[in-house]
Structure formats: C-alpha cells, structure tokens
C-alpha cells in the first residue's frame, strides 16, 4: 500500500469518526424534536437502540481508559503514511480534527459522556422507542 493510500484511509476513518459523533450528539435533539413534531421514525427501535448503545460504549470506554477504536485505527494509518497524528495535514484532517479532539483531564470527558448518556436514557424513558414484533408465519395446512 502506498503512503497516499494510508493517508486517504486515515482521512476516511476521521470522517467516519466525525459522522459517528454527529450521530450520537445530533440524534438526541432530533429524537426530542421528532416526537414533538409527530415523526414516528425517530422512535424506531433499531435507531434508538443503536443510539443508546453508541453513547453507552463511549461513556463506558472513557471510564475504563479504552481509546476509541476509530482513533486508534486513524493513528495507526497515519503512522503508516508517515504523517503526524494530529495538527498538520490537509483540509479535512485539519478541520475535522479541530472539531473532534480536545485537551483535558480524562475524568472531565468521562463525566461529560456519562451525563450525556444519562440524558439519552432520560429521553428513552420520556419517549420510548417503538419495538416492532413481527408475527411468525405459519404454513397453510390444506
């Protein structure tokens, strides 16, 4: 694989990471607004379960000190490309990195993620997801 290929993959992982963050953060106000506006899709069981699971993994990982696998993968790809992990690079890397990564004590992030997870749980309780149960088909007996 070429250096440019590793760099491109690292940028794609960074964009995926950004999309995951947008999903986790953006889904919460969308769920609340959608319930107030009568949008039934915001209570789809799969959507809500994935949202809850995503923030639960982020919060739990932060408390036990596990780095996000997307961060780990991106750093590895950047090392393979021979480029620095953060701070320098192209337009995408520069701006998405500035939006995603902050300096601070680990516990501050763990507390913030946990509070956000609790808010997601509160919204789950206030606006419960719609779980569809599909009836099993039986063979017609003639």
């Amino acid at each position: 694989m070429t250096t440019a290929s590793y760099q491109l993959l690292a940028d794609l992982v960074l964009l995926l990471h950004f999309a995951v963050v947008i999903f986790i953060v953006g889904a919460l106000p969308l769920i609340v607004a959608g319930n107030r506006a009568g949008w039934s899709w915001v209570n789809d069981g799969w959507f809500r379960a994935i949202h809850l699971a995503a923030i639960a993994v982020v919060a739990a990982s932060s408390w036990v000190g596990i780095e996000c696998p997307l961060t780990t993968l991106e750093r590895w790809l950047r090392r393979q490309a021979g480029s620095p992990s953060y701070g320098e690079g192209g337009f995408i890397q520069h701006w998405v990195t500035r939006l995603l990564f902050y300096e601070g004590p680990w516990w501050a992030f763990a507390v913030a993620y946990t509070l956000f997870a609790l808010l997601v749980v509160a919204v789950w309780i206030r606006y419960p997801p719609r779980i569809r149960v599909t009836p099993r088909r039986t063979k017609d007996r003639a």
Side-chain angles (χ1 to χ4, degrees), residues 24-82:
I24 291 173
V25 174
L28 187 63
L30 192 62
I31 291 165
V32 173
N35 272 283
R36 292 180 181 213
W39 304 336
S40 63
W41 67 268
V42 297
N43 288 324
D44 182 71
W46 284 105
F47 176 71
R48 297 290 297 280
I50 291 168
H51 182 241
L52 180 62
I55 188 58
V57 166
V58 168
S61 298
S62 69
W63 282 108
V64 296
I66 297 173
E67 182 177 68
C68 175
L70 292 173
T71 300
T72 304
L73 177 59
E74 182 203 345
R75 285 184 179 166
W76 181 82
L77 289 166
R78 293 208 188 281
R79 279 194 306 273
Q80 300 311 305

